[in-house]
Amino acid sequence: MDHRLPDSGDALTGVDMFAGLEPEVRQRVVAAAVPRHYRKGQILFVEHDPGDSLIIMKRGAVAVFRTAPTGERAVLTVVRPPDVLGEVSLLDASTRSASAEAIEDSQALSLSRVAFMELVHSNPRILDAVMRSVGGLIRRLTEQNADHVFLDLPGRVAKTLVRLSGESQAPMITIELNQSQLAEMAGGSRQSVNQAIGSFASRGWLRTEGRRIVVTDVQALRRRAGMTG
Ligand SMILES: Nc1ncnc2c1ncn2[C@@H]1O[C@@H]2COP(=O)(O)O[C@H]2[C@H]1O
């Protein structure tokens, strides 16, 4: 049975890496890609698996994480549409640099390394976007390193919440993340992250609702994280 998506270039709408390509080329990408569905909690791949595909997010959310020998997890990022995942091992033809788990029911397109390389050779313009993507990743890593040196834990929790709030200007922003996941992202123990959340809640910057966090004053969180502009 053919599981390929019936639509054409539309499946790549908003995906920076394929923006600006001719419609026929976009159609070729979609035709070469295989749709994937991941249930919440499903592991897409683990660190050191062969890195044989680029995953283009269409719906849902995937957490990228590393696991310590003690079993402790550090969440490096949460990837949502229209972002892609898996570009690192695609570029260095090596193994996965981190593991990935669907944290919501998700849909994606999986493009094999072979198909991606063919595409790059016939459309070198894609390399512009690939370089932007890798540049963006290096920039985020630099920022994360600096945060671990310059920010205390409440500052990192505040910054993580600001980042997860995205560009939203809404007076209330709901983040579907429990406090353990937040601790894994901010790089702290669950207990100290809970304390930071409790202190932000007492100041009216957010409230918790079960497995959600509702941000009510993103500007205050920005200030606590030392973010300007
Ligand atoms: N520190 C990080 N921040 C954001 N994304 C990352 C980070 N490390 C790895 N990734 C992503 O997670 C993917 C894991 O598989 P790859 O190494 O193929 O490609 C990696 C990137 O897409």
Side-chain angles (χ1 to χ4, degrees):
M1 190 162 58
D2 189 358
H3 290 286
R4 286 176 186 172
L5 290 183
D7 60 356
S8 57
D10 285 352
L12 299 177
T13 299
V15 182
D16 185 47
M17 202 169 277
F18 304 108
L21 289 182
E22 309 298 330
E24 325 67 92
V25 180
R26 290 163 68 90
Q27 273 172 17
R28 280 219 300 279
V29 176
V30 175
V34 181
R36 301 266 186 228
H37 298 259
Y38 305 105
R39 284 182 314 282
K40 182 175 175 175
Q42 190 175 339
I43 298 289
L44 281 65
F45 51 76
V46 294
E47 199 182 321
H48 303 314
D49 274 355
D52 49 12
S53 57
L54 182 73
I55 295 163
I56 304 160
M57 289 296 294
K58 295 304 303 167
R59 186 173 298 172
V62 167
V64 173
F65 63 96
R66 294 277 298 223
T67 313
T70 55
E72 204 182 337
R73 268 190 192 191
V75 175
L76 305 170
T77 193
V78 173
V79 184
R80 289 181 183 278
D83 285 344
V84 300
L85 176 70
E87 72 281 27
V88 173
S89 52
L90 216 61
L91 292 179
D92 67 4
S94 184
T95 54
R96 297 292 188 195
S97 59
S99 308
E101 178 188 332
I103 55 170
E104 294 172 14
D105 287 343
S106 300
Q107 290 178 16
L109 290 174
S110 170
L111 187 65
S112 73
R113 183 166 203 280
V114 173
F116 179 77
M117 292 320 275
E118 272 174 23
L119 200 69
V120 167
H121 288 135
S122 53
N123 298 274
R125 260 188 309 154
I126 288 185
L127 287 177
D128 293 350
V130 172
M131 283 190 289
R132 269 202 305 280
S133 163
V134 175
L137 180 56
I138 294 171
R139 210 168 267 284
R140 284 200 300 281
L141 294 177
T142 306
E143 191 168 339
Q144 278 170 8
N145 274 341
D147 288 349
H148 277 273
V149 175
F150 297 127
L151 290 181
D152 58 5
L153 180 67
R156 295 205 301 276
V157 172
K159 191 156 188 180
T160 303
L161 291 171
V162 171
R163 212 178 284 134
L164 291 170
S165 299
E167 302 292 313
S168 176
Q169 302 289 327
M172 283 195 290
I173 305 157
T174 301
I175 297 172
E176 304 281 344
L177 202 72
N178 63 36
Q179 298 192 13
S180 304
Q181 290 168 320
L182 185 61
E184 289 168 356
M185 287 190 82
S189 71
R190 207 185 141 168
Q191 196 188 9
S192 41
V193 169
N194 285 354
Q195 274 171 8
I197 289 290
S199 122
F200 296 166
S202 69
R203 288 176 224 186
W205 299 353
L206 54 77
R207 63 172 186 270
T208 53
E209 288 179 359
R211 297 172 66 84
R212 297 188 174 131
I213 296 169
V214 181
V215 172
T216 46
D217 190 347
V218 74
Q219 291 309 331
L221 290 173
R222 288 181 68 85
R223 283 193 296 277
R224 181 62 184 83
M227 297 167 83
T228 51

